[in-house]
Amino acid sequence: MTKVSPSLLAADFLHLDREIQMINHSEADWLHLDVMDGMFVPNISFGFPVLEAVATICQKPLDVHFMIERPERYIAQTAKLGAMMMNVHQEATVHLHRTVQEIHAAGMKAGVTLNPSTPVNTLEDIITDVDMVLLMSVNPGFGGQKFIENTIVKVKRLRQLIADSGSHALIEVDGGVQGETAPRLVEAGVDVLVSGSYVFKATDPEAVIHGLKQL
Ligand code: DX5
Ligand code: ZN
């Protein structure tokens, strides 16, 4: 069954408590948390004080997506939070292999994220070491953007790379995931759907999550 990881970036920040209770009550598998630094991406979202507060009440595993330069600086702090998955951008860390080993040593699963313009084959030499590949289907930094169509063929290429290498990595896609794009992504081979505005801006977010789970 498809996993769903709603992105808190699209939530009502004035009522985070209520939004997280909704997630706890829903069929969401994980909660996706987007950390931005205004350097790697042209926006700033939230940091550890907010993550720590969220972690105290969220009953779903935390899927943390770092859109920051040199994310390896925050491995220990992320582990302390109790995060299940730490996603780092391939473009933001020079020694990706070391970063992945350190994430594992800290007790978390390691996800590697690719920007829309970064080819899947750059993962050839790391694919058997990672637990997940997060493909960006928009340029990272903002919610509510238009899905980049090339992601579909990229998912298929990644599915092939995973099969050829014997890797157990999951494929997650993030950006513009909604009613029209989600079924096509699952058909192409996606395991985990991240969805922000489609879930949180809906009149019935729990029903939307339920719908995505059926794909
Ligand atoms: C964008 C973030 C996404 C964002 C997705 O940089 O990584 O997780 O919240 O938002 P939607 O689903 O609205 O495109
Ligand atoms: Zn994200």
Side-chain angles (χ1 to χ4, degrees), residues 32-100:
H32 185 85
L33 297 161
D34 292 297
V35 179
M36 306 178 190
D37 65 354
M39 290 294 288
F40 180 68
V41 291
N43 197 10
I44 299 176
S45 53
F46 44 74
F48 282 98
V50 173
L51 294 180
E52 283 158 13
V54 167
T56 61
I57 60 162
C58 187
Q59 292 160 6
K60 306 282 180 172
L62 304 179
D63 171 32
V64 189
H65 175 196
F66 283 95
M67 284 161 274
I68 68 171
E69 297 288 354
R70 298 176 49 226
E72 62 274 14
R73 293 172 293 157
Y74 297 101
I75 293 171
Q77 218 173 330
T78 307
K80 199 162 163 235
L81 202 66
M84 177 269 303
M85 178 80 71
M86 179 164 177
N87 297 289
V88 297
H89 272 260
Q90 184 260 23
E91 305 88 358
T93 183
V94 176
H95 300 286
L96 182 58
H97 185 273
R98 177 184 292 146
T99 301
V100 165

Side-chain angles (χ1 to χ4, degrees), residues 7 9 32 34 36 65 67 136 138-145 174-177 194-198:
S7 164
L9 191 65
H32 185 85
D34 292 297
M36 306 178 190
H65 175 196
M67 284 161 274
M136 290 309 301
V138 297
N139 286 295
F142 304 92
Q145 300 182 82
D174 183 6
V177 173
V194 174
S195 189
S197 19
Y198 181 58

Side-chain angles (χ1 to χ4, degrees), residues 133-194:
V133 177
L134 168 52
L135 296 180
M136 290 309 301
S137 38
V138 297
N139 286 295
F142 304 92
Q145 300 182 82
K146 191 177 179 298
F147 180 79
I148 297 172
E149 223 18 77
N150 184 60
T151 313
I152 300 284
V153 59
K154 216 168 157 181
V155 169
K156 292 180 184 164
R157 256 185 245 132
L158 177 56
R159 188 40 76 209
Q160 192 63 49
L161 175 63
I162 289 172
D164 292 347
S165 63
S167 160
H168 296 295
L170 294 172
I171 303 179
E172 184 177 59
V173 169
D174 183 6
V177 173
Q178 28 75 351
E180 193 273 323
T181 53
R184 293 194 289 125
L185 285 165
V186 172
E187 169 74 28
V190 168
D191 302 295
V192 192
L193 296 167
V194 174

